[in-house]
Amino acid sequence: MSLSLNQWTTRRWSLAEAVDGCARHGLEAIGLWREKVTERGLAASAKLVRDAGLRVSSLCRGGFLTTGGEAFAAALADNRRAIDEAAELEAACLVLVVGGLPGVKPGEPLTETSGRDLAGARERVAEALAELAPYAGERGVRLALEPLHPIYCPDRAVLSTLGQALDLALAYPEEQVGVVVDTFHVWWDPRLFADVARAGRRIASYQVCDYLHPLPADVLLGRGMMGDGVIDFPPITRAVLDAGYTGDVEVEIFNADVWAADPDEVLATMKARYAEVVGA
């Protein structure tokens, strides 16, 4: 496995700066975000990455599929656009953050229109996947369902465990639908190692960062540099390797202090911690 920078880890870098940083620090891959790709333009972004000799380890993100009616149709259309973008970028996968309860907006208080139908929200995800998986398959794109820690179930992802994501993925060819193993989101799960083994080559992305304790007031920013939190990485890495994963290890950190730091120092620390903390 080789190390990849998810560009949100160095959020204040432009796409060009992040690509240049990866090249200067000897990385072979980069995880891209659609917002940054849009800023530069899809074709120009693809050319920039290829000219630098980098792989695209993932494209973030599609998903948010749990609404109904016209909003559901709009979400499907946006995800088809995301699939097309992933195809152009030759991304190893398109990460899907599936969405929370209907009407609950990420990070915002509940309103009178906020839904509570968790089972129905999960059904919408299954319905959306039935529409999107064949479309992705036709374009050579692998969808990667990402379970998020249960603290994000209300507003970001009604899939909370690797097992839940895997149960949905198994209905489709493995080249169409896989799963993400993100240490921040799954480290706590007592079934993690059994489900990693069950996933096998369904693992489309292995993302790492630490789980800070205590969490900050904004729990979205509770991701830390590996070694700064509570996660025991080597057993998880060994399990992912034993399952047959041969892709990149992508470092994805949402953290105000990391974002404020010199991105070059972040990359240097990231490389050192990967060698010291993450490896099996």
Side-chain angles (χ1 to χ4, degrees), residues 48-184:
L48 179 69
V49 173
R50 290 177 191 137
D51 288 352
L54 299 177
R55 296 183 298 275
V56 177
S57 54
S58 73
L59 178 64
C60 292
R61 64 193 177 198
F64 291 91
L65 300 162
T66 54
T67 55
E70 293 182 1
F72 184 68
L76 289 176
D78 182 64
N79 277 268
R80 291 188 185 98
R81 287 192 294 272
I83 290 167
D84 293 341
E85 293 163 12
E88 177 69 20
L89 294 164
E90 299 180 355
C93 64
L94 171 66
V95 174
L96 298 186
V97 175
V98 297
L101 294 171
V104 180
K105 296 182 179 180
E108 296 185 10
L110 298 179
T111 68
E112 293 181 356
T113 61
S114 298
R116 289 171 172 80
D117 184 4
L118 178 57
R122 288 172 174 156
E123 288 174 4
R124 295 293 86 70
V125 176
E127 291 170 9
L129 203 58
E131 295 280 341
L132 296 173
Y135 186 88
E138 291 170 0
R139 285 150 183 80
V141 171
R142 193 179 200 189
L143 305 177
L145 295 168
E146 181 171 17
L148 268 56
H149 192 283
I151 56 176
Y152 303 113
C153 186
D155 62 347
R156 287 184 169 85
V158 295
L159 298 181
S160 300
T161 68
L162 183 61
Q164 287 176 307
L166 185 57
D167 287 344
L168 285 176
L170 286 172
Y172 302 94
E174 68 177 41
E175 65 272 14
Q176 286 185 15
V177 185
V179 294
V180 179
V181 176
D182 183 321
T183 55
F184 177 86

Side-chain angles (χ1 to χ4, degrees), residues 1 3 181-187 192-193 196 206-212 222-241 249-253 270 273-280:
M1 294 190 292
L3 191 60
V181 176
D182 183 321
T183 55
F184 177 86
H185 293 301
V186 302
W187 70 274
L192 174 60
F193 295 102
V196 166
Y206 181 38
Q207 296 182 334
V208 297
C209 71
D210 221 328
Y211 188 100
L212 299 179
R223 293 168 170 258
M225 187 64 70
M226 298 80 72
D228 288 349
V230 300
I231 297 177
D232 185 13
F233 288 93
I236 302 175
T237 300
R238 282 195 297 271
V240 169
L241 285 170
V249 181
E250 189 175 291
V251 177
E252 183 185 56
I253 301 175
M270 184 181 96
R273 296 290 183 87
Y274 172 72
E276 297 165 2
V277 177
V278 176

